[in-house]
Short mmCIF file of all heavy atoms in Angstrom, two decimals:
data_model
loop_
_atom_site.label_atom_id
_atom_site.label_comp_id
_atom_site.label_asym_id
_atom_site.label_seq_id
_atom_site.Cartn_x
_atom_site.Cartn_y
_atom_site.Cartn_z
N SER A 1 81.59 82.27 86.37
CA SER A 1 82.28 81.61 87.47
C SER A 1 81.32 81.55 88.64
O SER A 1 80.38 82.34 88.72
CB SER A 1 83.53 82.42 87.85
OG SER A 1 84.05 81.97 89.09
N THR A 2 81.54 80.61 89.53
CA THR A 2 80.63 80.47 90.67
C THR A 2 81.11 81.21 91.91
O THR A 2 80.40 81.29 92.90
CB THR A 2 80.46 78.98 91.04
OG1 THR A 2 81.76 78.43 91.34
CG2 THR A 2 79.83 78.21 89.90
N ARG A 3 82.33 81.80 91.85
CA ARG A 3 82.91 82.39 93.06
C ARG A 3 83.04 83.91 92.98
O ARG A 3 83.39 84.46 91.94
CB ARG A 3 84.30 81.79 93.33
CG ARG A 3 84.25 80.33 93.76
CD ARG A 3 85.60 79.89 94.28
NE ARG A 3 86.05 80.69 95.43
CZ ARG A 3 87.23 80.54 96.02
NH1 ARG A 3 88.09 79.63 95.56
NH2 ARG A 3 87.55 81.29 97.06
N PHE A 4 82.74 84.54 94.11
CA PHE A 4 82.95 85.98 94.25
C PHE A 4 84.37 86.24 94.72
O PHE A 4 84.86 85.59 95.63
CB PHE A 4 81.96 86.55 95.28
CG PHE A 4 82.21 87.99 95.65
CD1 PHE A 4 81.58 89.01 94.96
CD2 PHE A 4 83.10 88.32 96.67
CE1 PHE A 4 81.82 90.33 95.29
CE2 PHE A 4 83.34 89.64 97.02
CZ PHE A 4 82.70 90.66 96.32
N TYR A 5 85.04 87.22 94.08
CA TYR A 5 86.37 87.65 94.52
C TYR A 5 86.33 89.16 94.72
O TYR A 5 85.96 89.90 93.79
CB TYR A 5 87.43 87.32 93.47
CG TYR A 5 87.66 85.84 93.26
CD1 TYR A 5 87.07 85.19 92.18
CD2 TYR A 5 88.47 85.10 94.12
CE1 TYR A 5 87.28 83.83 91.97
CE2 TYR A 5 88.69 83.75 93.91
CZ TYR A 5 88.08 83.12 92.84
OH TYR A 5 88.30 81.78 92.64
N GLN A 6 86.73 89.63 95.87
CA GLN A 6 86.74 91.07 96.13
C GLN A 6 87.73 91.76 95.19
O GLN A 6 87.50 92.89 94.75
CB GLN A 6 87.12 91.35 97.59
CG GLN A 6 87.06 92.83 97.96
CD GLN A 6 85.69 93.46 97.72
OE1 GLN A 6 84.67 92.91 98.14
NE2 GLN A 6 85.67 94.61 97.03
N THR A 7 88.80 91.07 94.84
CA THR A 7 89.79 91.65 93.92
C THR A 7 89.16 91.90 92.54
O THR A 7 89.49 92.89 91.87
CB THR A 7 91.00 90.73 93.78
OG1 THR A 7 90.55 89.38 93.56
CG2 THR A 7 91.87 90.78 95.02
N ALA A 8 88.26 91.01 92.13
CA ALA A 8 87.57 91.20 90.85
C ALA A 8 86.59 92.37 90.94
O ALA A 8 86.48 93.17 90.01
CB ALA A 8 86.84 89.93 90.45
N GLN A 9 85.88 92.47 92.08
CA GLN A 9 84.97 93.60 92.27
C GLN A 9 85.76 94.92 92.25
O GLN A 9 85.30 95.91 91.67
CB GLN A 9 84.20 93.46 93.58
CG GLN A 9 83.23 94.60 93.87
CD GLN A 9 82.10 94.68 92.86
OE1 GLN A 9 81.20 93.85 92.85
NE2 GLN A 9 82.15 95.70 92.00
N ASP A 10 86.92 94.92 92.85
CA ASP A 10 87.75 96.13 92.84
C ASP A 10 88.14 96.50 91.41
O ASP A 10 88.16 97.70 91.05
CB ASP A 10 89.02 95.91 93.68
CG ASP A 10 88.72 95.75 95.16
OD1 ASP A 10 87.59 96.13 95.59
OD2 ASP A 10 89.59 95.24 95.90
N ALA A 11 88.45 95.49 90.60
CA ALA A 11 88.82 95.75 89.20
C ALA A 11 87.63 96.34 88.44
O ALA A 11 87.80 97.27 87.64
CB ALA A 11 89.28 94.45 88.54
N ILE A 12 86.45 95.80 88.69
CA ILE A 12 85.25 96.31 88.01
C ILE A 12 84.96 97.75 88.44
O ILE A 12 84.60 98.60 87.61
CB ILE A 12 84.05 95.38 88.27
CG1 ILE A 12 84.21 94.10 87.45
CG2 ILE A 12 82.73 96.08 87.93
CD1 ILE A 12 83.29 93.00 87.80
N ASP A 13 85.15 98.03 89.72
CA ASP A 13 84.95 99.40 90.20
C ASP A 13 85.91 100.36 89.50
O ASP A 13 85.54 101.48 89.13
CB ASP A 13 85.14 99.47 91.71
CG ASP A 13 84.04 98.75 92.47
OD1 ASP A 13 82.98 98.47 91.88
OD2 ASP A 13 84.25 98.44 93.67
N GLU A 14 87.15 99.91 89.32
CA GLU A 14 88.13 100.77 88.63
C GLU A 14 87.68 101.01 87.19
O GLU A 14 87.75 102.15 86.68
CB GLU A 14 89.52 100.13 88.64
CG GLU A 14 90.55 100.97 87.88
CD GLU A 14 91.92 100.32 87.78
OE1 GLU A 14 92.33 99.61 88.71
OE2 GLU A 14 92.59 100.56 86.75
N MET A 15 87.23 99.95 86.51
CA MET A 15 86.78 100.10 85.12
C MET A 15 85.58 101.03 85.02
O MET A 15 85.49 101.86 84.10
CB MET A 15 86.46 98.72 84.53
CG MET A 15 87.70 97.88 84.27
SD MET A 15 87.35 96.31 83.47
CE MET A 15 86.94 95.27 84.87
N TYR A 16 84.67 100.91 85.96
CA TYR A 16 83.49 101.78 85.97
C TYR A 16 83.93 103.24 86.14
O TYR A 16 83.42 104.13 85.44
CB TYR A 16 82.57 101.35 87.11
CG TYR A 16 81.22 102.05 87.14
CD1 TYR A 16 80.20 101.67 86.28
CD2 TYR A 16 80.99 103.09 88.04
CE1 TYR A 16 78.96 102.31 86.32
CE2 TYR A 16 79.76 103.72 88.08
CZ TYR A 16 78.75 103.33 87.22
OH TYR A 16 77.53 103.97 87.25
N ASN A 17 84.87 103.47 87.01
CA ASN A 17 85.39 104.82 87.21
C ASN A 17 86.15 105.32 85.98
O ASN A 17 86.25 106.52 85.75
CB ASN A 17 86.28 104.88 88.45
CG ASN A 17 85.49 104.70 89.73
OD1 ASN A 17 84.32 105.06 89.81
ND2 ASN A 17 86.12 104.12 90.76
N ASN A 18 86.69 104.38 85.20
CA ASN A 18 87.35 104.73 83.93
C ASN A 18 86.33 105.11 82.85
O ASN A 18 86.71 105.63 81.80
CB ASN A 18 88.15 103.53 83.38
CG ASN A 18 89.41 103.25 84.16
OD1 ASN A 18 89.85 104.08 84.94
ND2 ASN A 18 90.00 102.08 83.94
N GLY A 19 85.05 104.80 83.10
CA GLY A 19 84.03 105.03 82.08
C GLY A 19 83.73 103.82 81.23
O GLY A 19 83.23 103.94 80.11
N THR A 20 84.02 102.62 81.74
CA THR A 20 83.78 101.37 81.01
C THR A 20 82.66 100.58 81.68
O THR A 20 82.69 100.34 82.88
CB THR A 20 85.05 100.50 80.98
OG1 THR A 20 86.11 101.25 80.37
CG2 THR A 20 84.81 99.22 80.17
N ILE A 21 81.68 100.14 80.87
CA ILE A 21 80.58 99.31 81.36
C ILE A 21 80.88 97.85 81.06
O ILE A 21 81.27 97.51 79.93
CB ILE A 21 79.26 99.69 80.68
CG1 ILE A 21 78.95 101.18 80.84
CG2 ILE A 21 78.11 98.84 81.21
CD1 ILE A 21 78.58 101.61 82.22
N ILE A 22 80.70 96.97 82.03
CA ILE A 22 80.84 95.53 81.82
C ILE A 22 79.45 94.91 81.69
O ILE A 22 78.56 95.18 82.50
CB ILE A 22 81.58 94.85 83.00
CG1 ILE A 22 82.92 95.56 83.26
CG2 ILE A 22 81.79 93.37 82.71
CD1 ILE A 22 83.89 95.52 82.11
N VAL A 23 79.27 94.11 80.64
CA VAL A 23 78.02 93.38 80.42
C VAL A 23 78.33 91.90 80.45
O VAL A 23 79.29 91.44 79.82
CB VAL A 23 77.39 93.75 79.06
CG1 VAL A 23 76.08 92.99 78.85
CG2 VAL A 23 77.15 95.25 78.95
N ALA A 24 77.53 91.13 81.18
CA ALA A 24 77.82 89.70 81.33
C ALA A 24 76.56 88.85 81.26
O ALA A 24 75.48 89.29 81.65
CB ALA A 24 78.55 89.44 82.65
N ALA A 25 76.73 87.64 80.77
CA ALA A 25 75.63 86.67 80.72
C ALA A 25 75.37 86.15 82.13
O ALA A 25 76.29 85.87 82.89
CB ALA A 25 76.00 85.51 79.80
N ALA A 26 74.08 86.03 82.47
CA ALA A 26 73.69 85.64 83.83
C ALA A 26 74.02 84.19 84.14
O ALA A 26 74.27 83.84 85.29
CB ALA A 26 72.20 85.89 84.03
N GLY A 27 74.02 83.32 83.13
CA GLY A 27 74.27 81.90 83.33
C GLY A 27 73.22 81.05 82.67
O GLY A 27 72.14 81.53 82.30
N ASN A 28 73.49 79.76 82.52
CA ASN A 28 72.58 78.85 81.81
C ASN A 28 71.82 77.88 82.71
O ASN A 28 70.90 77.22 82.25
CB ASN A 28 73.36 78.04 80.77
CG ASN A 28 73.86 78.90 79.63
OD1 ASN A 28 73.28 79.95 79.32
ND2 ASN A 28 74.95 78.49 79.00
N ALA A 29 72.21 77.78 83.97
CA ALA A 29 71.52 76.83 84.86
C ALA A 29 70.05 77.23 85.00
O ALA A 29 69.75 78.40 85.27
CB ALA A 29 72.20 76.80 86.21
N ASP A 30 69.14 76.28 84.83
CA ASP A 30 67.72 76.62 84.79
C ASP A 30 67.12 76.78 86.20
O ASP A 30 67.73 76.41 87.20
CB ASP A 30 66.93 75.59 83.98
CG ASP A 30 66.93 74.22 84.62
OD1 ASP A 30 66.22 74.05 85.64
OD2 ASP A 30 67.62 73.31 84.12
N TRP A 31 65.90 77.33 86.22
CA TRP A 31 65.24 77.67 87.48
C TRP A 31 65.00 76.44 88.36
O TRP A 31 65.05 76.52 89.59
CB TRP A 31 63.92 78.38 87.20
CG TRP A 31 63.24 78.86 88.44
CD1 TRP A 31 62.33 78.18 89.20
CD2 TRP A 31 63.40 80.13 89.07
NE1 TRP A 31 61.92 78.93 90.28
CE2 TRP A 31 62.56 80.15 90.22
CE3 TRP A 31 64.18 81.25 88.79
CZ2 TRP A 31 62.49 81.26 91.07
CZ3 TRP A 31 64.10 82.35 89.63
CH2 TRP A 31 63.26 82.34 90.76
#
């Protein structure tokens, strides 16, 4: 996605504290 959401960051922080790692693809748009 192209947009940052603080609510999504909060969810990721909760998952990290749960002991879960999120791995994501950086994107396909070229340099």
Side-chain angles (χ1 to χ4, degrees):
S1 167
T2 58
R3 290 192 59 183
F4 172 92
Y5 294 99
Q6 184 58 49
T7 47
Q9 180 64 72
D10 293 343
I12 286 168
D13 292 343
E14 178 184 327
M15 288 184 275
Y16 188 78
N17 291 331
N18 287 346
T20 302
I21 305 290
I22 307 299
V23 180
N28 292 334
D30 65 74
W31 185 270

